[in-house]
Amino acid sequence: MFMRIDHVGIACHDLEEKIAFFERTFELTVVAREVNEEQGVKEAMLHIADGEGGGSYIQLLEPLGPDTPVGKFLAKRGEGVHHVAFGVPDVTRALQEIGGKGVRLLDEKPRHGSMGSSIAFLHPKDVGGMLTELVQAPEQRA
Amino acid sequence: MFMRIDHVGIACHDLEEKIAFFERTFELTVVAREVNEEQGVKEAMLHIADGEGGGSYIQLLEPLGPDTPVGKFLAKRGEGVHHVAFGVPDVTRALQEIGGKGVRLLDEKPRHGSMGSSIAFLHPKDVGGMLTELVQAPEQRA
């Protein structure tokens, strides 16, 4: 079901400052920037590796405001890992299978993710306290 | 510098219960179990993918006691993502480069990690709030 660790999403206060840090310190390169109004974030993807069905990235997330999910996370927990995303061949099918096993789905159907991907989130309390995202890269779409 | 996301380490109260959940829900397989007295944990590695220089895994961590690092993490934060590990070709060299850029090192030199790897941790406050591990897989050793 999981083909790769697609990305680790890190919540931060200042996207540009964190991009500069990760580029300088770990020799990573930003391959995409995006503002996602639906999720209330502006974000950047830093490429680590290519893998089956898509790549692996560090995703940096700055909230568009304090009342967004990432804004609330920062207020409660401070900067750090917000979620972990796993690549799947078919996110609709994965949601059906995982939901059928009793895991609560935060998204009943896929929605728009980074770089044209199709994504859905699982309830963190049902997945060991980890906010879990499923990612279907655009080239994998049926 | 980073070749892959090696693993996401998840702190949990009951290793066997969480292994069963991840195997059942996401069709993952345990490829290694270990007790690491030095780090005060018992752990399991669930294989996700193979990549450059090593694999990608979910690592489940149960503390050996409340006064261990993972035990204290659980008491403070509850179950969830404890750290993220990135594969590097040479952990000694990576420590020198990263330390030279001003990031505080929790390990000045590599120590024993999962499945014969050589590892070192970076200070989470210097890496966007993410406890960051560097991993050199055994087959990559000089």
Side-chain angles (χ1 to χ4, degrees), chain A residues 48-78:
Chain A
I48 293 176
D50 294 317
E52 189 187 351
S56 287
Y57 306 89
I58 287 176
Q59 181 185 58
L60 299 174
L61 302 161
E62 178 189 321
L64 295 179
D67 290 335
T68 61
V70 175
K72 290 175 186 170
F73 176 92
L74 280 176
K76 186 177 177 187
R77 293 241 170 171

Side-chain angles (χ1 to χ4, degrees), chain B residues 9-96:
Chain B
I10 303 172
C12 65
H13 291 291
D14 183 334
L15 185 65
E16 296 307 323
E17 185 267 331
K18 276 295 182 301
I19 288 171
F21 169 81
F22 276 88
E23 287 189 328
R24 185 177 68 242
T25 306
F26 302 122
E27 299 163 8
L28 298 172
T29 304
V30 171
V31 291
R33 290 170 187 257
E34 207 165 327
V35 175
N36 188 322
E37 298 280 355
E38 183 196 29
Q39 292 182 41
V41 291
K42 59 178 179 176
E43 59 183 56
M45 300 293 275
L46 293 95
H47 181 259
I48 292 175
D50 294 316
E52 189 189 350
S56 287
Y57 307 88
I58 287 176
Q59 181 186 56
L60 299 173
L61 301 160
E62 180 189 322
L64 295 178
D67 289 334
T68 61
V70 174
K72 291 174 185 170
F73 176 92
L74 280 174
K76 186 178 176 187
R77 293 242 172 170
E79 294 189 329
V81 177
H82 176 262
H83 67 270
V84 179
F86 299 92
V88 296
D90 182 329
V91 68
T92 301
R93 182 172 169 184
L95 280 176
Q96 289 171 344

Side-chain angles (χ1 to χ4, degrees), chain A residues 57-125:
Chain A
Y57 306 89
I58 287 176
Q59 181 185 58
L60 299 174
L61 302 161
E62 178 189 321
L64 295 179
D67 290 335
T68 61
V70 175
K72 290 175 186 170
F73 176 92
L74 280 176
K76 186 177 177 187
R77 293 241 170 171
E79 294 189 330
V81 176
H82 177 262
H83 68 271
V84 179
F86 300 93
V88 296
D90 182 329
V91 69
T92 301
R93 183 172 169 185
L95 279 176
Q96 289 170 345
E97 290 182 13
I98 293 166
K101 292 171 183 170
V103 173
R104 284 170 288 175
L105 312 176
L106 297 183
D107 299 295
E108 293 290 334
K109 58 182 184 180
R111 56 191 170 97
H112 166 73
S114 302
M115 303 189 297
S117 64
S118 186
I119 67 162
F121 283 92
L122 310 179
H123 200 301
K125 288 195 178 165

Side-chain angles (χ1 to χ4, degrees), chain A residues 2 21 24 26 80 101 126 128, chain B residues 2 21 24-25 80 101 126 128:
Chain A
F2 288 170
F21 170 81
R24 184 178 67 242
F26 303 123
K101 292 171 183 170
D126 290 355
Chain B
F2 289 171
F21 169 81
R24 185 177 68 242
T25 306
K101 292 173 183 169
D126 290 355

